[in-house]
Amino acid sequence: MVRFERLSAKMATARALLGYAVAFIGIVMVAPIGRTAEPQPWQIAMQPAATPVREELSALHDHILMPIITVITLFVLALLGIAMYRFSHRRHPVPTRTSHNTVIEMLWTVVPVLILVIIAIPSFKLMYYMDRVPNPEMTIKVTGHQWYWSYEYPDQGGLAFDSNIIPENELKPGQKRLLDVDNPLVVPAGTVIRVQITGTDVFHSWFIPSFGVQEYAVVGRLNESWMKIEHEGTYYGQCNQICGVNHAFMPIKVEAVSKEAFQQWLADAKKKFAMHDHDAAMRVAAGN
Ligand SMILES: [Cu+2]
């Protein structure tokens, strides 16, 4: 009877392990499929890179951080396994009185420090790369408000407009819940764009995962980031700093279009938002 119980416990463990293995393989296989610049149901891996910065970030994660994390995790797992096996109550009834080992203690201090130093070198290089805008061709100013974004194009005659979420009950077919907006930020693809970010009320954060751009929008401060969107397409992001009750309802939608299409959009947008500009000027005047 005891033997049977032990056997069925072993089988249950084996079945659980098999389940985990299948789930793991499933995750690894499914993860690269369906990569787009928006969140996907059951997404595990990160969104694919759309800018050089994001490519560098992914490379750091995939080729430096993940291998190191994997080796450390397997090493610690092996140590745990060995300790559990060798020093189990049955195999090792009388505990040893060993308490210190200078060599091991030096090693487990020095080796992690060395690993951190090795990680720091590419990490700092990348931070400087992200920080410096290489010869910007145009500038976009982003302002965070409770709870929407507004965009300005200082190089294009100060074109400015607000970008509000489309409420759930007004979504048209194909529009994304919590992600689509009335007026997306439209920019030319293949162009180095300086992004200046500020706020008018509380902290917000302009975050687009596939661009590797995440910058605080702070009142009275002008933060800077940059992006060069390699391909035309639609990209989504969200406010990434808890900013109040509607924090989840101020999404970011960026449309990267060809340079010609951008000029066309610009001409239309200047007409469309001319009225709005006038309203904004009136509001500022009234406020003063
Ligand atoms: Cu916010």
Side-chain angles (χ1 to χ4, degrees):
M1 190 62 196
V2 173
R3 223 158 103 207
F4 174 73
E5 271 173 11
R6 218 180 278 160
L7 190 71
S8 65
K10 266 185 190 160
M11 278 180 67
T13 313
R15 224 176 290 143
L17 282 175
L18 186 70
Y20 286 129
V22 169
F24 179 74
I25 292 165
I27 287 164
V28 169
M29 282 174 64
V30 168
I33 301 170
R35 282 182 153 198
T36 58
E38 65 197 48
Q40 295 291 306
W42 295 97
Q43 181 182 339
I44 304 278
M46 290 183 286
Q47 289 180 27
T51 64
V53 163
R54 176 70 248 188
E55 262 156 34
E56 294 291 320
L57 284 166
S58 296
L60 180 77
H61 172 269
D62 295 350
H63 304 142
I64 296 172
L65 303 184
M66 276 309 276
I68 292 175
I69 291 168
T70 308
V71 168
I72 292 174
T73 309
L74 292 178
F75 177 63
V76 173
L77 184 70
L79 286 184
L80 274 174
I82 291 167
M84 282 158 73
Y85 183 81
R86 275 190 56 185
F87 301 107
S88 79
H89 175 64
R90 213 177 312 140
R91 290 184 197 86
H92 199 82
V94 184
T96 68
R97 299 208 164 260
T98 313
S99 67
H100 280 289
N101 185 314
T102 313
V103 174
I104 289 180
E105 280 162 29
M106 295 284 278
L107 279 177
W108 77 42
T109 310
V110 172
V111 171
V113 168
L114 286 178
I115 293 172
L116 288 179
V117 169
I118 290 167
I119 292 174
I121 296 165
S123 189
F124 272 89
K125 265 172 79 176
L126 183 50
M127 270 173 61
Y128 284 111
Y129 179 61
M130 293 168 75
D131 191 51
R132 302 248 167 82
V133 188
N135 302 320
E137 292 162 71
M138 66 180 281
T139 302
I140 297 285
K141 187 179 169 197
V142 177
T143 309
H145 310 269
Q146 279 181 322
W147 287 273
Y148 62 96
W149 297 98
S150 57
Y151 300 121
E152 283 170 56
Y153 294 70
D155 302 333
Q156 280 74 27
L159 169 69
F161 56 85
D162 295 338
S163 183
N164 278 283
I165 188 173
I166 297 176
E168 216 169 319
N169 55 359
E170 290 170 27
L171 282 176
K172 294 192 190 79
Q175 285 185 327
K176 291 173 182 33
R177 182 180 153 266
L178 298 182
L179 284 178
D180 257 298
V181 300
D182 53 359
N183 301 311
L185 176 70
V186 179
V187 289
T191 306
V192 177
I193 301 167
R194 173 182 18 222
V195 187
Q196 296 185 325
I197 299 147
T198 189
T200 52
D201 35 49
V202 297
F203 272 36
H204 301 272
S205 178
W206 203 69
F207 173 46
I208 301 172
S210 56
F211 293 177
V213 171
Q214 178 182 0
E215 204 63 54
Y216 283 121
V218 183
V219 186
R221 238 192 103 89
L222 198 63
N223 284 336
E224 195 175 78
S225 187
W226 69 281
M227 57 196 194
K228 183 185 176 207
I229 308 162
E230 307 275 20
H231 303 288
E232 293 169 30
T234 306
Y235 304 88
Y236 292 95
Q238 285 169 311
C239 180
N240 197 31
Q241 174 68 28
I242 299 287
C243 59
V245 64
N246 283 344
H247 165 64
F249 306 101
M250 48 184 297
I252 299 155
K253 182 183 182 182
V254 180
E255 267 171 22
V257 297
S258 69
K259 287 183 184 172
E260 301 75 49
F262 177 70
Q263 290 305 327
Q264 184 57 46
W265 172 84
L266 211 57
D268 295 343
K270 276 180 181 164
K271 278 179 222 147
K272 184 180 169 190
F273 297 113
M275 199 56 206
H276 173 93
D277 263 2
H278 177 71
D279 287 351
M282 293 290 279
R283 275 208 303 277
V284 170
N288 287 345

